[in-house]
Amino acid sequence: MCNTMKNKFMREAIRLSIQMMRRGKGGPFGAVVVKGGRIVGRGCNQVTSGNDPTAHAEIVAIREACRRLKTFQLDDCDLYTSCEPCPMCLSAMYWARIRTAFFGNNRKDAAKIDFDDDFIYREVALPIRKRSLVMKPLLRAEALAAFKEWAQKADKIPY
């Protein structure tokens, strides 16, 4: 895809970030998912307006693209986002199999306006016992029953 088209899609993500922030939807973040040269998913940050801490622009755009394309894998899609993705959004892009992600602002730009994800990036890299979020195993033997059944399930849809 040529740079003119890439710039067009990034400008749409930036436009969404500004427009929806001004409307009070949430923080200054926008994203679009593109397949075959057309936008198949749009998203803006809706954390505060939707009372949903997972409603980041990238997640909203991925959800819309998956609904529209009737798939859970976007391996032939690119994502344009107004800011470098946080760890949650980056993980969602991997799960969705996004081919390429383009971003405008970077993590340091976001930190300067009090959206600092470096803490989470550092936490994820720590062993479980050293994270600030207390995590304790519980009823593993019982929980393994679901995994054992999944492993044997003949009609499962792998992902």
Side-chain angles (χ1 to χ4, degrees):
M1 183 179 305
C2 70
N3 282 338
T4 303
M5 290 300 287
K6 290 176 186 173
N7 291 346
K8 173 187 165 189
F9 296 131
M10 180 57 76
R11 286 188 178 109
E12 176 62 8
I14 294 167
R15 185 193 70 75
L16 281 170
S17 75
I18 294 168
Q19 178 186 53
M20 302 314 266
M21 172 196 56
R22 288 177 180 166
R23 290 185 184 173
K25 285 283 188 182
F29 304 97
V32 295
V33 175
V34 175
K35 177 181 178 175
R38 68 181 183 92
I39 294 173
V40 294
R42 284 182 169 80
C44 68
N45 182 284
Q46 298 175 30
V47 170
T48 56
S49 62
N51 295 318
D52 181 353
T54 69
H56 290 199
E58 298 91 338
I59 302 289
V60 173
I62 287 169
R63 288 174 181 163
E64 182 178 294
C66 288
R67 271 194 307 275
R68 288 181 78 190
L69 298 174
K70 296 178 177 35
T71 185
F72 56 86
Q73 291 188 337
L74 302 173
D75 51 355
D76 52 355
C77 296
D78 300 319
L79 190 142
Y80 295 77
T81 178
S82 63
C83 186
E84 182 179 355
C86 74
M88 175 185 68
C89 294
L90 180 62
S91 297
M93 288 180 211
Y94 276 102
W95 279 114
R97 311 291 198 271
I98 293 291
R99 178 176 53 198
T100 306
F102 300 91
F103 63 92
N105 296 311
N106 63 39
R107 288 162 43 180
K108 291 179 182 175
D109 299 325
K112 288 177 187 172
I113 60 166
D114 297 325
F115 290 96
D116 190 356
D117 300 327
D118 276 339
F119 167 75
I120 300 171
Y121 277 104
R122 287 190 309 272
E123 283 282 306
V124 169
L126 293 173
I128 289 175
R129 68 187 181 288
K130 291 189 176 184
R131 295 180 187 161
S132 63
L133 174 62
V134 177
M135 297 179 68
K136 297 183 178 192
L138 184 64
L139 298 177
R140 180 172 178 254
E142 291 180 38
L144 280 172
F147 280 17
K148 288 176 184 174
E149 188 172 326
W150 174 261
Q152 301 302 314
K153 187 171 172 53
D155 62 343
K156 66 184 167 199
I157 300 172
Y159 59 97

